Amino acid sequence: MLHAQSTIEEQLILRAIKEECSWESLPRRLQASLNSRDEWHKRITEHCIKKRLQWRTSFVRKVCREGEYYEDMMRYLRKNLALFPYHLAEYVCRVMRVSPFRYYCDMIFEVMKNEQSYDRIPNFSAADALRLTGIGRNEFIDIMNRCRSKKIMWKLNKSIARESLPTHPVDITIEPWWGVCLVNFTIEEFKKLSEEEIATIDKICKEETNAFMLFDPVIIKGLYRRGLVYLDVCVYAEDRFQVCKLEGFVSNREQSYEDPIEELLYAVFVVSSESSTVAELATTLQVELSQLQAAASFACRLAWAVKIIDPGSILQDPNSPGPSRNVVLGDEDDCSRASVGSVNTSVDGSVFQPDGSDAHGPTSGYARVAFVVDAEITSYLMMGSVSPGLKSHAVTLYEAGKLGHASIEDLCKDLSSLEGAKFEGVLQEFANHAFSLRSVLECLTSGGMPPSKGKASMDSSTNEDSASVSGHAGVPDDSDSTVTATEDTNDSDSTVTATDDTCEGEGSKSDHNFEGSDAGKAITKKIRRYHVDIMRCESLATLAPATLDRLFRRDYEIVVSMLPLPPSSVLPGPKGPVHFGPPSYSSLTPWMNLVLYSAVRGGPLSVVLMKGQFLRLLPAPLSGCEKALVWSWNETSVSDKFDGGLVKGNILLHCLNSLLKHTAVLVQPLSRYDLDESGKITTMDVPLPLKNSDGSSPDIGKELGLDTDESSKLNFLLSDLASQIELWSVGYIRLLKLFKSDPNYSFAPDDKYEWVPLSVEFGIPLFCPDLCKNICKRVVSSQLLQTNLCTEHHNAMQELRKRLQKICSEYQATGSTARMLYQRDHQPKSDQPKAPNKLLMTYASQRWNPLTEPSSPISGTNDQQRLKLANRQRSGTEVLSFDGNILRSYSLAPVYETVMGMFEEATESSSSSSKSDDMDSRETILPGVNLLFDGSELRPFDIAACLQARQPVSLIVEASIASAASSGIK
């Protein structure tokens, strides 16, 4: 829900109300804007009503009487179809005698009388009304149709709609811990009470605790139906809750009016955790405890949240204060565990300790994982009409923004019902995501361990995480699982036998396979188990950055992101939990491709073009290409890179000029030999990580089903790639098949093509079930989830972030290369000769002198262009140039290398303090210089001769920076 920005006067008024300023103590500026004392009192009352504040604890007690305040509030709530103020029931229900049932009946009647749509009712109000009155969308439409069928009578008397409304509330589920409170009886009502009811009322008045379980449920429900008692769902600061399925949720259109309870509920659903108390949740959200208690109380009324049982409180003295009130409602096995907490993750590896770590640390419980998906997944789940349970999960995930770990097993069972089903068209895309989602969830909940034989893989997630050889000195006292592991050097697989009777009630044995290297050794191995929460990234994006950071640090050790992520996604910071996903926002752009190519010194021929240019002709080597892959820096086009982005060569110039108006682009030309018979590129997706648990390199080619020769070539390429860049994470590398074009070399028939890295993506690709399964297999083989993640993964991602930072800082508009080429910041001192500047202008412009300066001319635009570029002579510092006919490479004189070093040192010193901020910023860093990757190195590329009217490139850079600053994009 969007809020209009408040003016300075409104902010001052809110501050004055918070400080309870009287009219006389108000600043003159506010007195002038409010005009009178009555107007000031009116603003105070309106503010307190909108915030649903209690009269006795708010500023409004000093400006109006209690009865007037609550009457005005109820008129305001009815007008806006708001939630019933349950937290004010002590006056509204007891004194005013307005029951929630009667309130919602009046609300529905007003909507019918005004012939408004059912969608006019806000979501939570409609859900609560459905719970109490039994009137949902279908019932509402049916009543309206019956009223309209009476025609003249309906037009003359709208009150006939009230005759179709119920006269008593429907039967609701009353939890044992809910409180029972009395209203103010009239004499007539008291005379109609039976002896049992009078005895019950006396007991309610005398008992200090009035929990529902202490009374006869039949008598209480009878009094409730007649409106003589109301239910109080009291939430204490030390209570803990678990969010469940949103059964009975009503999805109506969003309303423009503000409801603090409704807004807070959406945030509570996302940040809630059974390991955190209500007070801790209030701290996480930075809201008042009373507001959060009201929101949690409402969620419990609708059975969207259940109170967690604290086993320790059952053994305590009933008269002891504190958590002993948490005594009901958890029917899930995992809800009964007292040690469901999480420990903040730190980058020093304190969470994932080696074997033998403290049994009381996080390794003695379940590690927490947040699997981040987008709203599109919920739409796919809604399409699963073959399994009604999927719709309930989809509604919960979409509306609550989170699907707790207690629902994951049911979700996997519902997804398994789609196994073997045949789909067509869009439904097949739904099936792909469903199959992938199930594979990922089973892999994560099992801790990356192979599924047990003779037992469902999801059942293994209920095992205790501590597992070791029986009788070993390091076995914790509370360990309920034993694992005996025997490893054989002749077989890459080893067998782990686990005995678990914690949840199954029987001593069943399960066999696990994992990678091993030492022969004939019985080892002690702790199997770390995981609880997985599915979280919707759009809901996470609505939280304040500080709140989101507190949520990740408090609840989760690992965050796993799906692919592709939408532009609105938020990423955990480098000091947050382990993130199996993009290391930074810059990695979501083509910068990541350039980092990959530069690191492995290989990749397709690539040209980077700056935003704001207009080409009159294509520079070499883009001219004459059959097709080209086009990657955009625009955030809205992030998902396009997964579709290929192939553009025909004859329309490439028009396409680039259209894109360059809005964003920078990375273009990769392809010859006709690089395409298959259908005119498409040939790619291969290699799952990550690229090493096994013992550090050895896996036979990826064999795992992907390639023949011996192809497998050997692929393994050699991946081994070389893994030695150049550390990719110890979850994701995949996409390889591109290119034609080897060398007229002076005769290739064997089976050696005309080569595989080169095209892109690397971090996360889980739910759109491809086969790739997703292969990634899960690599997670199992590498034992990624059973290793010290905070050390290896953190180091690998930090190194990748450094590479991204370096290449962005060097080639952005304010980088060293751009500053050297365009002379934007560097000016020589008066005592220095100006020859270097003139020389630099000669090199940086199109006025080249091939007779006096070294060059490597490359002419023509044919299929041998790529190999010529790769085999050309290079120097330490050079600039590439195309004058419309010849592509040349020029090495800079030593004087320029000195100037270049000065710029690099200045850039490094100025960016060292803001390095982390740049990487964590959501602002898009655009290239500030044209670049060309020749298959081995990335160099500046001067294409001034190809630009319309030959406008200076430095002017384009300045205009691009000014445009980005005005639009808020870097």
Side-chain angles (χ1 to χ4, degrees):
M1 188 178 298
L2 299 177
H3 302 277
Q5 293 184 352
S6 58
T7 62
I8 296 179
E9 285 77 9
E10 291 175 345
Q11 294 177 6
L12 292 175
I13 289 176
L14 292 178
R15 181 177 179 181
I17 293 175
K18 183 178 181 180
E19 296 176 354
E20 298 190 2
C21 297
S22 62
W23 169 256
E24 292 77 11
S25 60
L26 284 179
R28 292 185 178 180
R29 178 177 181 177
L30 288 183
Q31 289 183 350
S33 63
L34 294 172
N35 297 325
S36 65
R37 184 193 305 270
D38 293 339
E39 180 66 20
W40 171 234
H41 291 176
K42 181 180 179 182
R43 293 295 294 270
I44 295 173
T45 304
E46 290 178 352
H47 170 79
C48 294
I49 288 176
K50 289 182 179 180
K51 296 297 182 181
R52 317 292 195 273
L53 300 181
Q54 195 174 21
W55 179 85
R56 67 180 62 178
T57 59
S58 61
F59 188 26
V60 73
R61 71 187 183 280
K62 298 181 180 180
V63 300
C64 71
R65 291 182 295 180
E66 186 175 17
E68 294 177 355
Y69 171 70
Y70 285 113
E71 288 175 0
D72 291 341
M73 175 182 289
M74 296 307 294
R75 280 193 294 268
Y76 172 83
L77 298 181
R78 289 191 181 96
K79 178 182 178 181
N80 292 281
L81 309 179
L83 285 175
F84 183 82
Y86 287 103
H87 62 294
L88 305 176
E90 184 179 359
Y91 191 93
V92 175
C93 292
R94 182 179 63 84
V95 180
M96 298 180 67
R97 296 294 302 273
V98 178
S99 67
F101 168 74
R102 181 51 52 197
Y103 172 82
Y104 286 118
C105 284
D106 294 341
M107 175 190 296
I108 296 174
F109 173 70
E110 288 296 325
V111 175
M112 291 180 173
K113 185 177 68 173
N114 298 327
E115 298 193 56
Q116 295 175 326
S117 171
Y118 182 77
D119 287 333
R120 177 73 175 80
I121 306 176
N123 296 344
F124 290 95
S125 298
D128 200 19
L130 174 62
R131 178 181 70 100
L132 297 176
T133 66
I135 297 178
R137 187 184 305 276
N138 294 336
E139 292 79 9
F140 182 92
I141 295 174
D142 181 63
I143 293 175
M144 289 300 297
N145 289 338
R146 284 191 276 115
C147 291
R148 287 167 178 164
S149 65
K150 298 181 181 180
K151 298 180 180 179
I152 299 296
M153 185 180 298
W154 168 248
K155 292 182 179 180
L156 296 177
N157 184 13
K158 302 290 186 179
S159 62
I160 62 175
R162 190 178 290 276
E163 299 174 359
S164 301
L165 298 179
T167 57
H168 297 286
V170 299
D171 292 334
I172 63 173
T173 301
I174 304 177
E175 299 296 342
W177 58 278
W178 290 8
V180 181
C181 303
L182 299 175
V183 303
N184 292 346
F185 291 96
T186 63
I187 296 179
E188 290 75 12
E189 289 173 336
F190 190 81
K191 290 180 179 180
K192 296 179 181 179
L193 295 175
S194 64
E195 294 182 0
E196 293 81 2
E197 291 174 339
I198 293 176
T200 300
I201 292 174
D202 289 339
K203 185 177 180 181
I204 295 176
C205 295
K206 295 178 181 179
E207 293 288 342
E208 294 183 1
T209 58
N210 56 352
F212 175 72
M213 62 182 177
L214 301 178
F215 305 97
D216 187 343
V218 176
I219 296 178
I220 295 297
K221 288 185 177 181
L223 294 173
Y224 171 78
R225 286 174 57 87
R226 286 145 54 192
L228 301 180
V229 298
Y230 64 92
L231 302 174
D232 180 25
V233 182
C234 193
V235 174
Y236 300 96
E238 65 273 14
D239 287 341
R240 296 182 295 116
F241 294 90
Q242 180 184 42
V243 175
C244 306
K245 293 182 182 179
L246 301 189
E247 297 288 353
F249 190 90
V250 179
S251 298
N252 287 342
R253 292 194 299 266
E254 291 187 6
Q255 310 299 310
S256 58
Y257 121 95
E258 300 178 10
D259 191 326
I261 300 298
E262 180 175 336
E263 293 177 358
L264 188 56
L265 272 171
Y266 282 113
V268 169
F269 289 150
V270 178
V271 305
S272 63
S273 171
E274 65 275 11
S275 62
S276 300
T277 64
V278 174
E280 292 171 343
L281 294 179
T283 302
T284 300
L285 292 173
Q286 293 293 289
V287 297
E288 293 184 6
L289 178 60
S290 59
Q291 293 181 347
L292 191 59
Q293 288 173 322
S297 175
F298 178 80
C300 291
R301 288 180 183 272
L302 275 72
W304 294 344
V306 294
K307 184 181 289 189
I308 297 297
I309 293 178
D310 187 354
S313 66
I314 300 177
L315 302 177
Q316 292 175 357
D317 184 355
N319 298 324
S320 63
S324 59
R325 287 186 288 257
N326 304 343
V327 290
V328 289
L329 287 186
D331 56 0
E332 298 289 341
D333 291 340
D334 48 12
C335 290
S336 62
R337 300 184 183 273
S339 58
V340 190
S342 300
V343 178
N344 297 343
T345 303
S346 61
V347 297
D348 59 358
S350 58
V351 167
F352 296 98
Q353 298 290 343
D355 297 341
S357 58
D358 186 5
H360 299 286
T363 53
S364 64
Y366 284 83
R368 297 292 301 275
V369 180
F371 183 41
V372 180
V373 300
D374 62 4
E376 191 173 347
I377 295 297
T378 61
S379 62
Y380 288 140
L381 295 179
M382 290 289 286
M383 297 169 62
S385 56
V386 293
S387 179
L390 288 179
K391 181 177 181 180
S392 175
H393 293 302
V395 171
T396 302
L397 179 57
Y398 182 81
E399 297 295 347
K402 177 180 177 180
L403 196 62
H405 63 84
S407 303
I408 298 302
E409 184 174 353
D410 291 337
L411 174 61
C412 289
K413 289 180 180 179
D414 292 330
L415 291 173
S416 64
S417 64
L418 305 176
E419 200 73 33
K422 301 295 182 180
F423 299 93
E424 296 181 358
V426 180
L427 287 179
Q428 184 58 47
E429 190 173 359
F430 150 71
N432 291 340
H433 284 75
F435 297 151
S436 300
L437 182 61
R438 181 189 173 198
S439 299
V440 173
L441 293 178
E442 291 180 346
C443 178
L444 292 177
T445 53
S446 66
M449 298 296 292
S452 305
K453 295 180 180 180
K455 187 190 268 190
S457 58
M458 286 302 299
D459 290 343
S460 64
S461 65
T462 60
N463 296 343
E464 287 292 340
D465 69 306
S466 292
S468 57
V469 177
S470 180
H472 193 275
V475 179
D477 294 338
D478 59 348
S479 176
D480 296 320
S481 302
T482 59
V483 173
T484 302
T486 304
E487 298 179 319
D488 188 357
T489 53
N490 298 326
D491 190 356
S492 60
D493 294 335
S494 58
T495 303
V496 179
T497 304
T499 303
D500 180 16
D501 57 359
T502 302
C503 300
E504 298 294 322
E506 58 183 4
S508 60
K509 292 187 177 181
S510 304
D511 293 333
H512 298 270
N513 295 325
F514 65 93
E515 299 293 335
S517 59
D518 298 332
K521 288 184 179 181
I523 64 172
T524 299
K525 181 69 176 178
K526 283 192 174 182
I527 299 178
R528 188 177 296 111
R529 298 299 184 186
Y530 292 85
H531 277 163
V532 182
D533 294 340
I534 304 179
M535 310 190 77
R536 191 166 64 91
C537 60
E538 291 84 357
S539 297
L540 294 176
T542 61
L543 301 176
T547 301
L548 186 62
D549 183 64
R550 286 190 294 269
L551 170 64
F552 281 145
R553 287 170 173 264
R554 185 199 70 192
D555 287 344
Y556 298 105
E557 287 83 33
I558 299 176
V559 176
V560 182
S561 297
M562 63 162 285
L563 288 175
L565 284 174
S568 61
S569 300
V570 289
L571 305 179
K575 296 182 180 179
V578 174
H579 181 211
F580 290 140
S584 69
Y585 293 100
S586 296
S587 65
L588 298 173
T589 65
W591 286 122
M592 190 66 232
N593 296 47
L594 300 180
V595 169
L596 177 64
Y597 305 156
S598 301
V600 302
R601 302 181 66 85
L605 186 63
S606 306
V607 177
V608 176
L609 300 175
M610 290 187 303
K611 173 185 176 182
Q613 299 179 118
F614 191 87
L615 304 176
R616 66 182 181 88
L617 57 89
L618 291 173
L622 299 183
S623 59
C625 66
E626 184 72 16
K627 289 185 178 181
L629 279 169
V630 179
W631 308 67
S632 170
W633 259 267
N634 192 349
E635 289 186 350
T636 58
S637 304
V638 170
S639 61
D640 295 342
K641 66 181 182 180
F642 295 89
D643 300 329
L646 270 179
V647 177
K648 293 183 178 180
N650 54 2
I651 63 171
L652 181 59
L653 179 61
H654 172 73
C655 177
L656 292 180
N657 283 331
S658 300
L659 287 174
L660 290 175
K661 295 178 182 179
H662 311 286
T663 181
V665 294
L666 171 66
V667 192
Q668 297 170 333
L670 302 170
S671 70
R672 63 181 182 274
Y673 302 109
D674 297 325
L675 307 174
D676 58 16
E677 297 178 354
S678 60
K680 298 182 179 179
I681 59 175
T682 302
T683 60
M684 179 190 304
D685 294 331
V686 178
L688 297 177
L690 293 179
K691 64 179 181 180
N692 293 324
S693 58
D694 58 357
S696 62
S697 298
D699 191 348
I700 299 292
K702 182 179 180 181
E703 294 179 3
L704 297 180
L706 302 181
D707 56 39
T708 304
D709 294 337
E710 288 292 328
S711 177
S712 177
K713 294 178 183 178
L714 178 62
N715 292 334
F716 178 79
L717 171 63
L718 296 178
S719 176
D720 181 66
L721 189 150
S723 65
Q724 300 295 331
I725 184 172
E726 183 67 38
L727 299 175
W728 184 246
S729 185
V730 171
Y732 67 95
I733 298 175
R734 177 160 291 181
L735 303 179
L736 176 64
K737 191 176 184 180
L738 294 179
F739 179 71
K740 292 182 179 179
S741 53
D742 188 354
N744 300 323
Y745 182 78
S746 129
F747 293 101
D750 59 346
D751 196 28
K752 294 183 179 180
Y753 295 90
E754 62 179 344
W755 290 100
V756 297
L758 178 62
S759 63
V760 58
E761 309 296 343
F762 297 100
I764 301 293
L766 295 182
F767 54 83
C768 183
D770 292 337
L771 177 58
C772 188
K773 288 183 179 179
N774 289 333
I775 292 176
C776 292
K777 290 179 181 179
R778 293 299 315 135
V779 171
V780 173
S781 299
S782 64
Q783 294 289 286
L784 181 63
L785 300 180
Q786 300 295 325
T787 57
N788 194 342
L789 299 177
C790 284
T791 299
E792 297 190 45
H793 178 273
H794 174 75
N795 293 340
M797 292 299 101
Q798 281 298 104
E799 179 62 28
L800 199 56
R801 288 167 61 90
K802 290 179 181 178
R803 292 176 183 267
L804 278 166
Q805 170 68 19
K806 180 179 180 181
I807 200 168
C808 290
S809 61
E810 182 176 356
Y811 295 116
Q812 62 181 327
T814 57
S816 57
T817 300
R819 293 167 64 186
M820 182 199 70
L821 292 179
Y822 306 137
Q823 287 280 297
R824 298 188 66 250
D825 296 328
H826 178 70
Q827 294 295 336
K829 296 181 180 179
S830 57
D831 56 345
Q832 292 179 346
K834 295 185 178 181
N837 286 323
K838 293 181 179 179
L839 201 56
L840 184 60
M841 288 298 297
T842 301
Y843 281 101
S845 69
Q846 196 54 46
R847 297 190 296 273
W848 301 95
N849 188 353
L851 298 178
T852 60
E853 303 297 338
S855 66
S856 300
I858 302 175
S859 305
T861 55
N862 50 38
D863 294 336
Q864 284 74 36
Q865 189 74 59
R866 183 187 308 107
L867 196 63
K868 284 188 176 183
L869 283 169
N871 293 334
R872 65 185 174 81
Q873 295 180 357
R874 302 180 183 86
S875 62
T877 306
E878 65 179 3
V879 177
L880 302 173
S881 174
F882 179 70
D883 60 5
N885 183 34
I886 298 176
L887 178 65
R888 296 185 176 93
S889 64
Y890 290 85
S891 60
L892 298 183
V895 64
Y896 299 111
E897 296 184 4
T898 303
V899 175
M900 184 74 171
M902 293 170 56
F903 282 124
E904 289 180 350
E905 291 177 2
T907 302
E908 290 178 1
S909 61
S910 62
S911 63
S912 59
S913 59
S914 60
K915 182 177 181 180
S916 178
D917 296 338
D918 292 341
M919 285 290 94
D920 299 333
S921 174
R922 295 177 60 91
E923 296 179 350
T924 303
I925 303 175
L926 296 178
V929 62
N930 297 315
L931 300 171
L932 188 146
F933 180 78
D934 58 12
S936 178
E937 291 180 327
L938 184 66
R939 295 300 180 191
F941 190 26
D942 188 0
I943 58 169
C946 303
L947 300 179
Q948 185 71 27
R950 290 175 177 256
Q951 63 265 43
V953 182
S954 58
L955 182 62
I956 296 174
V957 174
E958 293 179 0
S960 177
I961 294 176
S963 174
S966 61
S967 61
I969 301 177
K970 189 173 181 179

